Amino acid sequence: MVSRRAFAVLLFSAATACGATVPRASAPDLAGAWDFSVDVGSRVTPGSMTLARAGATWTGELRAAGPNALPVRSATVSGRQVDLAVESPEGPVTFRGTLTPDGNSVQGEVTYHGGKRYPMVMTRRSPSGT
């Protein structure tokens, strides 16, 4: 009797030997406009962000309260984990969160340049902008 694991390995080997490709789960697409909020305890700070894929890398900008736009230096997705790095005048700001299964929100924690951490939620803006 062949175990399920051995059967799966045999099936994969047979499929690839015949030239078939085995589909891989694609990484979630973060491209688009996002709204976010950071709960700093005494207040909730809102903002927005845009992300676009440029080959294997991500580009974008973040706008918090005020007119300043900050560049998104990196964005990575591994499974449902999302990591972002934004450059601010005071130093780098990072965010690590978990993407919901529907891909429309991310909940996690932002770490400011001074090491302070706060809860942050990102929500994908609908295509109509509402």
Side-chain angles (χ1 to χ4, degrees):
M1 183 168 185
V2 177
S3 72
R4 287 184 183 188
R5 178 172 163 71
F7 180 74
V9 170
L10 287 172
L11 183 60
F12 176 80
S13 298
T16 55
C18 295
T21 58
V22 178
R24 288 187 171 173
S26 61
D29 186 7
L30 298 179
W34 294 80
D35 293 313
F36 68 85
S37 61
V38 179
D39 184 349
V40 296
S42 59
R43 69 185 185 289
V44 174
T45 302
S48 63
M49 178 175 12
T50 57
L51 293 169
R53 187 170 215 131
T57 61
W58 290 91
T59 61
E61 71 177 19
L62 177 140
R63 291 183 179 274
N68 296 334
L70 304 173
V72 174
R73 293 291 182 210
S74 68
T76 58
V77 180
S78 177
R80 290 186 22 218
Q81 181 177 306
V82 175
D83 290 289
L84 301 169
V86 175
E87 190 61 42
S88 79
E90 295 84 15
V93 175
T94 60
F95 170 73
R96 172 171 276 183
T98 303
L99 187 67
T100 56
D102 66 6
N104 290 323
S105 67
V106 183
Q107 295 187 357
E109 188 174 69
V110 63
T111 303
Y112 285 101
H113 39 78
K116 292 186 179 181
R117 297 175 181 212
Y118 300 103
M120 180 173 160
V121 175
M122 294 171 38
T123 304
R124 188 182 301 271
R125 195 175 301 155
S126 68
S128 65
T130 59

